[in-house]
């Protein structure tokens, strides 16, 4: 390379380095100080990686204040400084199975081994500290600081009850030891703390990690003592005399001398087992009493660790596996108005597909126009989305900093996007409705609900098919399903004669369903599965219910004026009566056995954990109660059955420990007599 070329390169590198540093400082502040990040962790890591790479290529451009030159926060002026005997490093983040496998490959190559054992631990989201014991006595406790120098916060750490002031060991090798661990606040303690702060008008902490960090920085250790901080130790810094050969040894030694270690760590033979551990905890983490943000994977053998060594920032023998973000950032491509079966028009954001909590998301509900205005959500905005408990993800906030000026505000259409009919907003309601019962979108929604699993359970009747039926005029309401002909169906897109035949058989079979199902399926407002069950039992048939008076309805257990009113108005509508006549004509008229209830589960106690696919939690509970069972919220010796859905919490573990019978959703369905 010629000299002028080299000079130009350096000039360009310097400019890029400076702009990267500025950007990184800004994002650090957004994250750590303001707790309001505007880019994802991954995007941040990419910026840091680019800076580190440039600095490695042009070492002369490294400055001591570069973000690459420090590990964590700077030591503060209020506390004396501690120089760490062994630097407190940080960990390289990984986000995927491939990256974990690549780590294993690097480790094996460096050690020239075919197989390496690891220990996987939970990565608690708190504050890293070092505890120095001399002659078995706690003499110093400090924060990580910049990795080399931290704050001496001994008085504060001494208030934490799970930190022993004196070790319980006769083993003289372990009396002089520097232990590393994470100080954290449980979610419950965090909530309680913020509750108190709210009452006293003090600013709230954004999350348990910030609350723990803030607590350790208090100058008055008497206040720290009130904060319910806890510690989990996971390693040793300086320990010249200790004869430990593996990390498993380290953890058991720490426990022996009286320190708390995590209870969930596992020794893993190779990356396959490591990844299984990561998957398990990505699912179970919600059941822990504290926040974790990933898994730490460490080479088990301590000699191997010494061989692998460290870079200036992180050890080569460990990595952090970060869980998929619960919150992700993406762009709103469009906002569309969607008409549901009840005519309510819901604005829905169409998103640039993005991965959240392990699945790809391309739509998010925006609830209603007031919500859009309140959050100032516009088409083209970059937004943070979150997959909460519901199936449909929601938009948390707009990243205003990423606006370009081209974003378009959304306004609700004046006409129904489906039938072009008038939209109305009733006094005092936020919802906008299309009041045309014949609106194709509503018809579509009603048919889909009618066919759904807890309703008539017509398999094979999905959205694409219902669209064709409605658009082609083959179904104007759900009673038309029972008049469909083989020739009509087999002519439809992606429908052969065979699947058409199957569908007709499914439709025919649905006639045998219970009256409860039918009552839920016809979609009377406010009448869910639970109310449908009560009404079916009390009134026996559609005719019986249609002729019930308001007084009779309200006399039923659990039926109040709202549901009663909604039933009366449903049967008062000539359109609805015509649809029901159509059903009766087609032979759909189940009659409920109104004999006194059978209570086959009387005397049995149930607990439900995790998410059931086919039942809302309340419905599942009600079904059990209807059969005479007791349903409680926590597992004890008195529990007979634990019903386990997806992502079960700690109840599963407890049930196993107590030998409670565990049943999955399929068994549950059989037990309550659903097909
Ligand atoms: S090992 C050099 N183990 O994660 C090894 N760290 O980004 C450093 N952390 O500073 C730490 N749980 O604050 C380790 N089981 C665990 C951990 C853990 C949480 C934190 C710790 C550390 C940061 C690394």
């Amino acid at each position: 390379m010629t000299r002028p070329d080299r000079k130009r390169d350096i000039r360009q590198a310097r400019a890029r380095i400076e702009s990267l540093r500025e950007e990184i400082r800004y994002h650090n502040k957004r994250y750590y100080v303001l707790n309001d990040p505007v880019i994802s962790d991954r995007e941040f890591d990419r910026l840091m990686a680019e800076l580190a790479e440039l600095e490695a290529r042009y070492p002369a451009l490294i400055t001591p204040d570069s973000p690459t030159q420090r590990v964590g926060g700077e030591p503060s002026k209020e506390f004396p400084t501690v120089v760490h005997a062994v630097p407190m490093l940080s960990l390289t983040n990984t986000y995927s199975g491939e990256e974990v496998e690549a780590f294993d490959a690097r480790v094996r190559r460096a050690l020239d081994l075919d197989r390496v054992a690891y220990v996987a631990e939970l990565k608690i989201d708190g504050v890293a500290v070092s505890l120095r014991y001399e002659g078995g006595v706690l003499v110093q406790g400090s924060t990580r600081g910049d990795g080399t120098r931290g704050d001496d916060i001994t008085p504060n750490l001494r208030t934490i009850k799970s930190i022993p002031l004196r070790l319980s060991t006769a083993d003289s090798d372990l009396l002089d030891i520097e232990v590393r661990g994470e100080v954290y606040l449980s979610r419950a303690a965090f909530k309680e703390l913020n509750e108190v702060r709210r009452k006293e008008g003090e600013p709230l902490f954004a999350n348990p990690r910030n609350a723990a960090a803030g607590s350790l920085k208090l100058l008055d250790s008497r206040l720290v003592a009130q904060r319910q901080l806890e510690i989990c130790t996971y390693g040793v810094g300086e320990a010249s005399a200790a004869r430990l050969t593996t990390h498993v040894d380290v953890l058991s030694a720490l426990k022996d001398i009286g320190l708390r270690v995590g209870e969930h760590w596992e020794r893993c033979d190779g990356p396959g087992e490591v990844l299984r551990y990561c998957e398990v905890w990505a699912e179970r983490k919600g059941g822990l009493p504290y926040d974790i943000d990933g898994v730490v994977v460490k080479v088990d053998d301590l000699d191997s660790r010494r061989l692998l060594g460290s870079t200036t920032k992180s050890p080569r023998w460990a990595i952090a596996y970060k869980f998929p973000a619960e919150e992700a950032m993406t762009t709103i491509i469009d906002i569309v108005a969607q008409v549901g079966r009840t005519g309510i028009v819901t604005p829905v954001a169409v998103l640039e597909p993005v991965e959240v909590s392990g699945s790809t998301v391309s739509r998010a509900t925006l609830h209603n126009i007031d919500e859009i205005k309140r959050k100032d959500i516009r088409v083209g905005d970059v937004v943070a989305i979150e997959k909460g408990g519901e199936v449909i993800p929601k938009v948390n906030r707009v990243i205003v900093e990423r606006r370009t000026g081209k974003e378009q505000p959304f306004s609700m259409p004046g006409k129904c996007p489906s039938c072009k009919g008038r939209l109305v907003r009733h006094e005092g309601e936020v919802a906008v409705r299309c009041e045309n019962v014949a609106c194709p979108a509503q018809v579509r929604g009603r048919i889909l609900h009618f066919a759904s699993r807890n309703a008539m359970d017509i398999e094979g009747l999905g959205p694409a098919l219902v669209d064709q039926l409605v658009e082609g005029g083959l179904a104007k309401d759900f009673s038309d399903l029972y008049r469909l002909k083989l020739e009509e169906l087999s002519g439809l897109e992606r429908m052969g004669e065979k699947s058409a035949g199957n569908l007709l058989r499914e439709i025919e079979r649905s006639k045998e369903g219970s009256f409860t199902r039918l009552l839920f399926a016809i979609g009377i407002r406010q009448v869910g599965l639970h109310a449908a069950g009560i009404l079916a039992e009390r009134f026996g048939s559609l005719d019986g219910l249609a002729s019930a008076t308001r007084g009779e309805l309200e006399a039923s257990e659990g039926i109040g004026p709202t549901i009663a009113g909604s039933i009366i108005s449903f049967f008062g509508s000539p359109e609805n009566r015509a649809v029901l006549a159509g059903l009766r004509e087609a032979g759909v008229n189940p009659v409920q056995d109104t004999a006194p209830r059978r209570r086959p589960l009387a005397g049995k106690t149930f607990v439900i954990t995790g998410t059931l696919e086919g039942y809302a939690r309340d419905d599942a509970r009600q079904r059990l109660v209807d059969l005479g069972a007791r349903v409680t919220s926590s597992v004890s010796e008195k529990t007979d059955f634990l019903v386990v859905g997806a992502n079960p919490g700690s109840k599963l573990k407890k049930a196993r420990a107590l030998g409670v019978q565990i049943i999955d959703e399929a068994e549950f369905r059989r037990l309550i007599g659903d097909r």
Side-chain angles (χ1 to χ4, degrees), residues 453-526:
R453 185 117 145 231
N454 284 330
M456 302 304 270
D457 193 18
I458 303 174
E459 216 180 295
L461 195 60
L465 185 54
V466 172
D467 279 347
Q468 292 189 68
L469 294 177
V470 175
E471 278 160 26
L474 290 171
K476 294 195 184 60
D477 62 66
F478 39 72
S479 74
D480 290 337
L481 294 174
Y482 297 93
R483 279 182 280 276
L484 289 171
K485 300 202 178 50
L486 190 69
E487 316 79 83
E488 291 170 334
L489 279 178
S490 49
L492 297 176
E493 235 173 85
R494 274 179 294 176
M495 256 296 191
E497 201 152 301
K498 183 148 174 262
S499 35
N502 287 342
L503 181 60
L504 286 181
R505 264 189 298 284
E506 269 290 305
I507 293 175
E508 195 55 29
R509 197 195 47 76
S510 74
K511 291 181 181 172
E512 291 155 24
S514 65
F515 176 43
T516 303
R517 279 179 178 273
L518 178 66
L519 195 45
F520 173 61
I522 59 177
I524 305 175
R525 266 185 220 167
Q526 320 284 345

Side-chain angles (χ1 to χ4, degrees), residues 71 87-93 121-129 144 180-182 232-235 247 293 295-296 298 310 313-315 317-318 320:
V71 190
M88 291 183 79
L89 301 176
S90 67
L91 295 168
T92 307
N93 288 336
E121 293 169 0
L122 302 182
K123 187 170 186 297
I124 299 184
D125 211 1
V127 182
V129 300
R144 184 171 74 172
R180 305 263 166 101
E182 196 82 355
C232 168
T233 60
Y234 49 65
H247 189 61
D293 62 345
V295 166
V296 183
K298 305 170 176 177
S310 302
K313 280 179 56 190
S314 48
W317 46 262

Side-chain angles (χ1 to χ4, degrees), residues 468-669:
Q468 292 189 68
L469 294 177
V470 175
E471 278 160 26
L474 290 171
K476 294 195 184 60
D477 62 66
F478 39 72
S479 74
D480 290 337
L481 294 174
Y482 297 93
R483 279 182 280 276
L484 289 171
K485 300 202 178 50
L486 190 69
E487 316 79 83
E488 291 170 334
L489 279 178
S490 49
L492 297 176
E493 235 173 85
R494 274 179 294 176
M495 256 296 191
E497 201 152 301
K498 183 148 174 262
S499 35
N502 287 342
L503 181 60
L504 286 181
R505 264 189 298 284
E506 269 290 305
I507 293 175
E508 195 55 29
R509 197 195 47 76
S510 74
K511 291 181 181 172
E512 291 155 24
S514 65
F515 176 43
T516 303
R517 279 179 178 273
L518 178 66
L519 195 45
F520 173 61
I522 59 177
I524 305 175
R525 266 185 220 167
Q526 320 284 345
V527 178
L529 212 45
H530 170 47
I534 296 173
L535 293 165
E537 195 161 309
R538 175 85 170 73
F539 298 99
S541 67
L542 276 181
D543 291 330
L545 184 63
S547 56
T549 64
R550 187 179 274 273
E552 284 169 337
L553 290 168
E554 286 187 33
S556 312
E557 179 192 339
I559 306 296
T562 319
I563 300 186
S566 161
I567 294 169
I568 302 269
S569 106
F570 182 89
F571 287 105
S573 132
E575 286 94 350
N576 288 337
R577 281 208 302 270
V579 176
L580 298 183
L583 281 178
R584 207 174 297 126
E585 230 167 79
V588 189
N589 196 9
V591 174
Q592 186 95 352
D593 182 4
T594 48
R597 286 196 219 192
R598 280 180 54 239
R599 299 169 67 85
L601 299 179
K604 298 280 180 236
T605 302
F606 284 74
V607 174
I608 306 172
T609 181
T611 314
L612 299 175
E613 229 176 77
Y615 305 84
R617 180 66 73 88
D618 281 345
D619 290 333
R621 162 191 288 270
Q622 193 56 47
R623 297 292 295 272
L624 290 169
V625 170
D626 288 346
L627 295 170
R630 228 168 76 88
V631 183
T632 64
S633 57
S634 61
V635 174
S636 74
E637 284 87 1
K638 297 201 188 101
T639 311
D640 295 295
F641 295 95
L642 179 72
V643 182
V644 180
N647 303 344
S650 56
K651 287 174 193 159
L652 179 57
K653 201 173 154 194
K654 183 142 184 224
R656 283 206 180 111
L658 291 172
V660 169
Q661 188 168 345
I662 293 164
I663 62 176
D664 64 11
E665 183 165 348
E667 286 173 87
F668 166 74
R669 187 171 309 134

Side-chain angles (χ1 to χ4, degrees), residues 162-178:
S162 44
I163 297 181
L165 300 181
R166 177 180 288 276
L167 297 176
S168 57
T169 177
D171 184 346
S172 59
D173 292 347
L174 293 172
L175 288 174
D176 297 304
I177 193 169
E178 186 218 331

Side-chain angles (χ1 to χ4, degrees), residues 80-111:
T81 296
V82 172
V83 178
H84 298 302
V86 178
M88 291 183 79
L89 301 176
S90 67
L91 295 168
T92 307
N93 288 336
T94 62
Y95 297 92
S96 67
E98 289 89 72
E99 286 178 279
V100 173
E101 275 158 13
F103 162 70
D104 170 63
R106 276 197 309 276
V107 167
R108 280 188 292 112
R109 203 175 322 117
L111 297 174

